[in-house]
Amino acid sequence: MFRAITPAWNNTNLQSLARVTCSGCILAHVRAATMGAAAAELNCHPFTAGPYAFMHNGDVAGFSAIRRSMLERLSDEAFASIRGNTDSEHVFALFQDQARETRRPSPRSRNNGSRSAPAPLDPAERLADALGRTIEQVVSMSRRAGVEKNNTYLNIAVSDGRCAAACRFTTDKPEEALSLYLHSGTRYVCDGGVCRMVNPARGKRAVLLSSERLSDDPGWEVVPNNHIVVIREDRSVFRRECAVVAA
């Protein structure tokens, strides 16, 4: 993990690291600081805990009003993971508890004598389930706090290093949702400052999720509002609607 409060485009450490970094799963996040908050490395994305890396673009409606409620429902482990003071990191703490709950076997599956126990979810679906329940919690707490005049915007990406889940969600009007784009099946390369999509080598398909289109190539799809994108380790992709009622 590399984080800094300096702009990415003139950070020489980032340039040196990026030149020699190779990974099957990379999360990169460049954003402005939360309004009214001091810029600090602790508040920079991505946030990490255990196997997870997490980043968020947007705002939690009435965060200052619900922060205490968020903290009160956290496990000790999730509470201890918070180092900064952003709404994003608190949402990540909620996600951690949901992810732990998802990994636990149901009472039915613990019954060795039951032949009808459901098959365990694959890791990507577990991420998506935990992310969906986290969104439900955040929206529910904001509504109970009576902050209807504000809206929640949750463009979130989370990964365990092998698979990932990302959402585009808002309680605002659909046309006000923050943008999110998907491109899959090809590879993104940059030569001499010109970036484009190319066909990957056999078995080397790629998936890109980005707040903006990274090139003019065809194939970029707009992620529908209030949907979760699920990316499996084999780079297969599917989308599902968030269960939360936005309005």
Side-chain angles (χ1 to χ4, degrees):
M1 181 176 66
F2 175 81
R3 302 194 298 186
I5 61 173
T6 55
W9 49 88
N10 67 359
N11 187 298
T12 56
N13 287 334
L14 177 60
Q15 293 175 26
S16 296
L17 286 170
R19 182 177 55 83
V20 296
T21 298
C22 181
S23 175
C25 181
I26 295 176
L27 275 68
H29 196 273
V30 181
R31 63 168 290 177
T34 300
M35 185 176 296
E41 190 174 301
L42 286 175
N43 290 334
C44 292
H45 302 232
F47 302 105
T48 61
Y52 304 115
F54 177 102
M55 56 191 191
H56 164 227
N57 183 28
D59 295 287
V60 172
F63 172 61
S64 60
I66 69 171
R67 183 183 181 191
R68 182 169 181 175
S69 296
M70 295 174 79
L71 293 172
E72 287 174 347
R73 69 169 56 200
L74 295 177
S75 67
D76 290 344
E77 188 175 354
F79 181 90
S81 74
I82 299 176
R83 296 287 185 267
N85 55 15
T86 64
D87 56 355
S88 303
E89 195 173 10
H90 286 66
V91 174
F92 180 35
L94 290 174
F95 168 84
Q96 292 172 54
D97 279 342
Q98 291 304 317
R100 273 188 284 271
E101 191 65 30
T102 304
R103 291 201 305 270
R104 293 172 183 162
S106 65
R108 228 175 138 192
S109 64
R110 286 196 295 264
N111 182 359
N112 294 329
S114 173
R115 295 185 179 181
S116 59
L121 293 174
D122 71 30
E125 290 182 280
R126 288 201 299 268
L127 286 178
D129 282 359
L131 181 55
R133 289 198 300 273
T134 300
I135 296 170
E136 290 178 13
Q137 285 187 329
V138 172
V139 173
S140 176
M141 284 187 284
S142 291
R143 287 174 176 166
R144 286 201 301 270
V147 291
E148 291 85 356
K149 66 179 181 179
N150 299 322
N151 284 290
T152 290
Y153 303 87
L154 297 174
N155 275 24
I156 292 171
V158 62
S159 175
D160 63 2
R162 297 180 179 276
C163 53
C167 66
R168 183 185 184 214
F169 179 88
T170 184
T171 56
D172 204 346
K173 296 176 291 186
E175 58 269 25
E176 299 298 328
L178 302 174
S179 60
L180 189 65
Y181 293 88
L182 170 69
H183 203 304
S184 61
T186 56
R187 192 162 58 92
Y188 184 67
V189 298
C190 292
D191 296 317
V194 178
C195 300
R196 67 188 190 282
M197 299 294 188
V198 300
N199 291 326
R202 186 176 180 83
K204 297 292 185 180
R205 64 179 300 178
V207 179
L208 290 171
L209 272 170
S210 177
S211 295
E212 308 292 341
R213 291 182 177 91
L214 299 181
S215 70
D216 293 328
D217 298 84
W220 287 102
E221 305 173 41
V222 176
V223 175
N225 187 38
N226 296 350
H227 275 69
I228 295 176
V229 178
V230 188
I231 306 171
R232 292 193 173 100
E233 187 174 356
D234 65 359
R235 306 298 187 268
S236 60
V237 180
F238 67 94
R239 291 184 288 269
R240 68 191 204 190
E241 192 170 4
C242 293
V244 182
V245 177

